[in-house]
Amino acid sequence: MAVLSIAPATLLRFGNLSFSIRGKFVALAVGIALFASLAIGGVGYMRVVDISLDREVATLEGQARLVVPQIKAAYDLLRSDALIVSQTPPFKGLARSMPNGDVDPRDGSTTEDWRRRLATIFTSVMAYHPEFVQMRYIGIADGGRELVRVDRRGEQTYVTPLQGLQRKGEESYFTEGVRLNVNEVYFSPITLNRDYGRIDHNLPVVRIVVPAFAPNGQLFGLLVINAHYEKFLRGILNEIHPDGDTYLLNDTGDYISKSSDGKVSALQFRGLAEGASPPATIRTLHTATTFDTTVFHKLDNEKVAIHVTKIALTGSGGARFLKIALVVPEVKLLAEAWDTRQSFAMAGALLVVFALLLALVSARAISQPLRQIVDEIRAFGGGRTTLNLPSNRADEIGELSVAFENMIQRLEVSNKAKREAFERLEAMRDEAVDALITTDINGTVLQFNKSAEKLFGHATADILEKNVSVLIPESHGRQHNGYLAKYRETGERDVRDEVRIVDGLRRDGSTFPAELRVSDIRVGSERFFNGIVRDISARIEMEKKIDGYVGELERSNRDLDDFAYIASHDLKEPLRGISNHVRFLQEDYEDLLGEGGKKRADRIRQLCQKADKLTTDLLEWSRLGRTAYQFEEIDTKEIVQTIIESLSEFLQEKKATVQIVEPLPTVKGDRARLSSVFQNLIVNGVKYNDSADKRIEIGFLTGQPAPDGGQADVFYVRDNGIGIAAEFHDTVFTIFKRLNSEKTFGAGTGAGLSFVKKIVERHGGRIWIVSKPGEGTTFYFSLKGSENAHS
Ligand code: ADP
């Protein structure tokens, strides 16, 4: 059976992954195609723009080279026509006839004849110069009186009769004209036409003035032609056909233009005057200072190429000029480039579509096996037992499938091991002697083993999902919940990892004392409490009994001490009485006793003394058990040194040395009693010693092995004396126990070591012996205060 379980979230992610790989792949392909099209199209387009602009600019400049001479030629034609007219015979004829009584001395023609002939010439010239509105011959004499004048009115020309002729000597073109030399032509500024003092606002005119000289070389008159300026310029513009717009602007701010579609605008007279609003091109033309090159300008939000030329109108006094602008919008210049761009865009779009299709097809080829893997794993996770992955493929998909299969095999093996381990654990839980209870962090019971069932009398099924407080008497239960709440909030370990003595509540309502150990378990992010409960009713019962025995023992020891005290105290009196009476007997009945009786009496008195000594020791021994001790901080080194000093004579006499192995600690104890311990042990070490060189060593050791198998911090008193056989190591501490005869090692009551033992025990310590006969003896003793001793 399949044990593997995959969380739905993981499958969902796999689902998205499949889609997303496909989507990403397509997006990438389209992105690359788009980028490539933009890059190639962009670079190509820029290059085409450069080439187109260069070519178009060259074309524009070529047109300028054509147009400008055409305009110049129009002016030159005007000038040459005026000069030709001024060379016609009537000009000289009038110069001859008028000073000669109106008769030409050369051929007899009258002034009137010459006038008529000139009017005819003027009329015929005006016929092929439709822009000429007036032609006049003005004499220098008589304040510049007109000699011949022909006007155009509508389609007709009129010759002004004699009486209609006026004086024009005040006019500026007259004063300019009289300064001219032979063959010089003057072009006036553009002004509105004036006729008999009236200004014709619709008729801006240019006046062309040519001087006429008499045969004697004197200036005789001026040929003045009024040309309709607008018509003149229109005539020029109609003859030229550049690609772009053409603008003409003269020095007095009059301008006219022709658009690329061939339409010519109306002449703007004084178009730059204040208040006028000339187009941007005219403003640019007005301020232009560089000529004969093409520049790019942004005019009215449109980028244009503009080529400006300036023509000086020679023979016009020097100030007259005409600026010509040929303007082509960039849109037009780049029309071809834009066509190319269009083609690039089309090609790019095709490339993108092709990439999209290709990507869709290949993405499907990649994502389909992935999809199959996802579907298979999902089915497997859903409980199907077979897993059919495309692991025989030779690509990464095959590798992925093999890796999946391997992983699933490993997972199955590990899950099996886990399941078995879990089952073993469950069995162990059930077999455990102690009751095992697992709760969640709120105290809800999750596990309850067989021992727990037995101990609490609840069936597992009844207790699961209930709060653990049902196993605890009311008062404890509340406390327990308090701990849990506190732990949840603060994470403080009140209930965990320590043994507590609590009361357990059985199903029948009875309670029992229990030992409870709670440990905190974390599984992933979840926390649990595991409680081990042990019924300690029997142990408590046993402890109670032991406590009773100890109490009894203490009481009997006290009784013993009391008895010894009373007995020794009360025995002293009769002993002293016996001794005294024996002494009286000796003194009063010396003769009757004889030698034998005296000896016996002495022996009785010696025994009385010994009995007295023994009762004194017994009294002291009982006191050591009954009286209170004065506990204080004691420097043990200091008390040992004091003892050595007080024993110095004894030591010298016995040829013994006492060595302190430092450091000796400071302990809490009864100064007098502890001094007596050290003194007894030192004296014994010297006393029961047959070495020539008697050596006693006193020191302190930590972690020394004790007779009960534990360790203790101990004082030791070591000698190189006769040693003590192992069978006496305990009994030697019994009161009045002696191992040696008085003769060999001197007198003693055999109480000293019993005092030592009693004092050590009242200090909470123990005393023991390490010794072999003939190898010296070491007494070790601990004190309660010496267990935490420091030097
Ligand atoms: P006393 O010295 O009065 O006999 P103790 O109680 O001091 O009484 O000693 C009891 C007996 O233990 C001694 O008689 C002696 O035989 C033996 N004893 C005590 N100390 C030593 C020792 N350091 N080496 C050998 N034997 C000892």
Side-chain angles (χ1 to χ4, degrees):
M1 203 201 81
V3 186
L4 178 78
S5 76
I6 297 175
T10 322
L11 285 175
L12 203 69
R13 251 205 320 277
F14 270 111
N16 287 346
L17 181 71
S18 156
F19 173 76
S20 132
I21 284 177
R22 198 169 163 186
K24 277 178 192 161
F25 190 82
V26 171
L28 186 72
V30 170
I32 291 172
L34 206 61
F35 177 77
S37 323
L38 284 176
I40 296 168
V43 171
Y45 171 68
M46 306 263 265
R47 188 79 197 101
V48 172
V49 163
D50 277 355
I51 294 168
S52 304
L53 277 183
D54 285 352
R55 207 180 56 208
E56 293 301 328
V57 164
T59 310
L60 188 64
E61 285 175 357
Q63 285 184 354
R65 278 196 295 276
L66 282 177
V67 165
V68 172
Q70 266 181 293
I71 295 170
K72 266 187 182 162
Y75 271 91
D76 288 345
L77 184 69
L78 209 56
R79 184 186 295 113
S80 63
D81 279 0
L83 280 172
I84 288 167
V85 170
S86 72
Q87 301 298 321
T88 52
F91 284 86
K92 290 257 173 14
L94 279 170
R96 286 193 301 270
S97 66
M98 282 180 73
N100 197 32
D102 290 326
V103 178
D104 188 341
R106 208 196 263 171
D107 60 2
S109 300
T110 62
T111 295
E112 190 46 44
D113 290 337
W114 285 124
R115 269 203 184 110
R116 213 173 40 249
R117 284 178 200 158
L118 188 55
T120 308
I121 289 170
F122 281 175
T123 306
S124 61
V125 168
M126 285 169 80
Y128 70 86
H129 270 294
E131 75 272 25
F132 287 0
V133 291
Q134 190 180 59
M135 290 185 82
R136 286 172 292 169
Y137 184 36
I138 298 169
I140 301 298
D142 194 14
R145 179 169 294 278
E146 294 167 335
L147 301 178
V148 179
R149 168 176 169 172
V150 179
D151 289 294
R152 187 195 297 279
R153 298 213 178 96
E155 296 297 306
Q156 301 297 316
T157 46
Y158 293 94
V159 181
T160 306
L162 257 182
Q163 61 276 14
L165 298 172
Q166 300 163 16
R167 282 200 186 93
K168 295 289 179 183
E170 301 295 311
E171 295 293 338
S172 66
Y173 58 81
F174 185 84
T175 41
E176 291 286 342
V178 294
R179 287 198 214 113
L180 295 170
N181 295 317
V182 182
N183 285 343
E184 268 186 350
V185 181
Y186 168 75
F187 285 86
S188 77
I190 313 304
T191 51
L192 295 173
N193 199 39
R194 247 178 314 144
D195 215 357
Y196 304 106
R198 270 188 308 124
I199 294 171
D200 183 347
H201 287 280
N202 296 320
L203 196 57
V205 291
V206 60
R207 290 183 179 81
I208 303 135
V209 184
V210 183
F213 293 90
N216 62 2
Q218 288 276 311
L219 178 68
F220 182 79
L222 300 171
L223 167 66
V224 178
I225 306 167
N226 285 13
H228 190 306
Y229 191 54
E230 185 173 356
K231 260 191 192 157
F232 169 62
L233 293 180
R234 272 176 182 277
I236 295 173
L237 288 175
N238 283 334
E239 290 306 311
I240 59 171
H241 304 286
D243 278 352
D245 301 338
T246 312
Y247 291 83
L248 306 179
L249 172 73
N250 68 11
D251 50 283
T252 45
D254 316 304
Y255 64 87
I256 190 165
S257 65
K258 180 181 182 180
S259 63
S260 55
D261 58 9
K263 276 190 197 136
V264 178
S265 73
L267 177 82
Q268 298 301 312
F269 178 68
R270 299 289 186 265
L272 290 177
E274 222 169 291
S277 50
T281 315
I282 290 300
R283 283 200 302 273
T284 309
L285 197 53
H286 176 57
T287 52
T289 47
T290 49
F291 305 101
D292 299 320
T293 57
T294 305
V295 285
F296 288 89
H297 274 288
K298 187 141 195 183
L299 301 178
D300 295 334
N301 287 330
E302 191 190 27
K303 210 169 168 199
V304 297
I306 176 162
H307 185 279
V308 180
T309 315
K310 185 176 176 183
I311 307 173
L313 299 177
T314 48
S316 61
R320 298 284 90 77
F321 64 81
L322 187 70
K323 283 178 177 175
I324 304 152
L326 294 185
V327 179
V328 181
E330 200 184 40
V331 189
K332 208 165 172 187
L333 292 180
L334 294 179
E336 196 179 330
W338 284 353
D339 281 352
T340 314
R341 186 170 69 172
Q342 213 83 339
S343 310
F344 273 124
M346 282 290 287
L350 275 174
L351 186 65
V352 170
V353 169
F354 179 69
L356 179 70
L357 290 174
L358 201 67
L360 277 171
V361 172
S362 8
R364 198 177 144 72
I366 291 170
S367 70
Q368 207 177 16
L370 278 177
R371 186 77 248 164
Q372 187 197 342
I373 292 177
V374 170
D375 289 345
E376 275 296 313
I377 290 172
R378 196 174 272 170
F380 187 73
R384 209 176 68 190
T385 50
T386 53
L387 182 64
N388 185 19
L389 298 178
S391 49
N392 49 357
R393 281 177 69 125
D395 56 7
E396 286 85 348
I397 301 283
E399 272 180 50
L400 181 68
S401 306
V402 170
F404 255 121
E405 282 173 357
N406 288 344
M407 188 185 78
I408 283 163
Q409 267 170 17
R410 273 202 303 279
L411 275 175
E412 277 185 335
V413 169
S414 119
N415 276 351
K416 190 168 170 242
K418 272 188 202 154
R419 202 169 54 250
E420 284 169 4
F422 181 74
E423 281 163 4
R424 273 199 300 278
L425 205 66
E426 281 291 286
M428 272 164 61
R429 277 183 68 90
D430 276 346
E431 292 312 313
V433 180
D434 292 326
L436 303 181
I437 303 164
T438 307
T439 73
D440 66 10
I441 195 146
N442 298 313
T444 307
V445 177
L446 304 174
Q447 282 178 321
F448 202 69
N449 75 344
K450 283 204 175 111
S451 298
E453 281 188 328
K454 263 185 244 156
L455 186 59
F456 288 94
H458 287 286
T460 303
D462 297 341
I463 206 78
L464 291 184
E465 298 302 321
K466 293 219 170 94
N467 195 280
V468 74
S469 57
V470 299
L471 305 175
I472 304 167
E474 191 71 0
S475 57
H476 284 67
R478 250 177 255 129
Q479 197 182 16
H480 185 77
N481 280 341
Y483 291 146
L484 287 180
K486 186 175 176 195
Y487 180 63
R488 271 199 304 275
E489 281 159 24
T490 64
E492 262 177 46
R493 304 177 162 211
D494 258 3
V495 291
R496 306 183 314 147
D497 296 339
E498 63 180 80
V499 179
R500 311 175 66 82
I501 305 298
V502 297
D503 280 346
L505 179 64
R506 294 196 188 89
R507 187 161 176 246
D508 60 12
S510 62
T511 61
F512 61 92
E515 199 178 75
L516 170 68
R517 181 191 289 277
V518 181
S519 45
D520 181 7
I521 304 166
R522 277 165 195 261
V523 180
S525 62
E526 274 194 90
R527 284 184 196 157
F528 302 97
F529 290 124
N530 198 34
I532 303 173
V533 186
R534 179 176 293 174
D535 183 353
I536 54 167
S537 315
R539 197 179 85 194
I540 288 199
E541 207 52 43
M542 183 65 75
E543 279 170 3
K544 269 186 197 156
K545 264 190 198 157
I546 290 170
D547 283 351
Y549 294 146
V550 169
E552 260 172 47
L553 206 61
E554 278 174 352
R555 214 167 28 253
S556 93
N557 270 350
R558 247 193 332 272
D559 290 349
L560 198 63
D561 281 346
D562 290 349
F563 167 75
Y565 180 78
I566 294 161
S568 53
H569 188 266
D570 290 357
L571 272 175
K572 268 187 174 300
E573 194 62 34
L575 272 177
R576 207 162 295 141
I578 293 166
S579 183
N580 285 340
H581 283 289
V582 171
R583 188 160 52 84
F584 295 152
L585 272 179
Q586 275 182 316
E587 284 168 7
D588 296 347
Y589 305 98
E590 197 180 354
D591 300 337
L592 284 175
L593 284 174
E595 270 313 300
K598 256 163 83 183
K599 267 191 186 163
R600 289 206 184 279
D602 280 345
R603 184 68 187 142
I604 292 170
R605 282 181 60 198
Q606 272 173 10
L607 287 171
C608 279
Q609 266 172 20
K610 187 166 183 186
D612 184 62
K613 250 190 175 170
L614 289 172
T615 48
T616 306
D617 281 352
L618 189 62
L619 196 63
E620 178 57 22
W621 182 81
S622 67
R623 262 202 203 109
L624 289 175
R626 297 169 80 233
T627 52
Y629 283 22
Q630 301 293 322
F631 283 94
E632 59 181 313
E633 290 286 330
I634 296 165
D635 181 352
T636 52
K637 184 184 162 194
E638 184 204 307
I639 61 170
V640 171
Q641 275 172 339
T642 310
I643 292 163
I644 293 170
E645 270 166 36
S646 68
L647 290 175
S648 59
E649 258 179 53
F650 166 73
L651 295 173
Q652 258 176 0
E653 186 195 318
K654 296 283 181 187
K655 296 198 177 62
T657 52
V658 182
Q659 190 202 349
I660 299 174
V661 178
E662 291 193 60
L664 289 185
T666 298
V667 297
K668 219 165 186 177
D670 183 301
R671 181 180 293 273
R673 281 4 186 296
L674 281 185
S675 294
S676 135
V677 167
F678 281 109
Q679 179 154 351
N680 261 304
L681 294 177
I682 293 168
V683 169
N684 276 358
V686 175
K687 217 165 119 185
Y688 302 104
N689 199 326
D690 52 5
S691 301
D693 172 24
K694 301 179 176 59
R695 276 179 284 110
I696 315 292
E697 184 185 307
I698 299 169
F700 181 78
L701 298 168
T702 53
Q704 201 61 12
D708 63 1
Q711 288 195 332
D713 297 346
V714 292
F715 290 93
Y716 68 93
V717 179
R718 181 171 297 143
D719 63 55
N720 56 348
I722 59 169
I724 301 169
E727 68 256 41
F728 302 119
H729 285 186
D730 285 332
T731 51
V732 81
F733 292 105
T734 317
I735 191 165
F736 304 140
K737 176 76 179 176
R738 301 202 75 218
L739 304 179
N740 303 98
S741 71
E742 284 189 11
K743 278 175 204 146
T744 39
F745 291 99
T749 57
L753 287 181
S754 71
F755 291 175
V756 167
K757 185 170 193 260
K758 203 155 200 177
I759 293 167
V760 167
E761 284 175 352
R762 287 228 31 200
H763 278 80
R766 285 167 297 170
I767 185 162
W768 66 94
I769 291 169
V770 173
S771 175
K772 276 183 189 160
E775 289 184 12
T777 307
T778 306
F779 285 87
Y780 291 99
F781 66 94
S782 64
L783 300 174
K784 196 171 192 182
S786 74
E787 272 154 28
N788 299 316
H790 53 275
S791 56

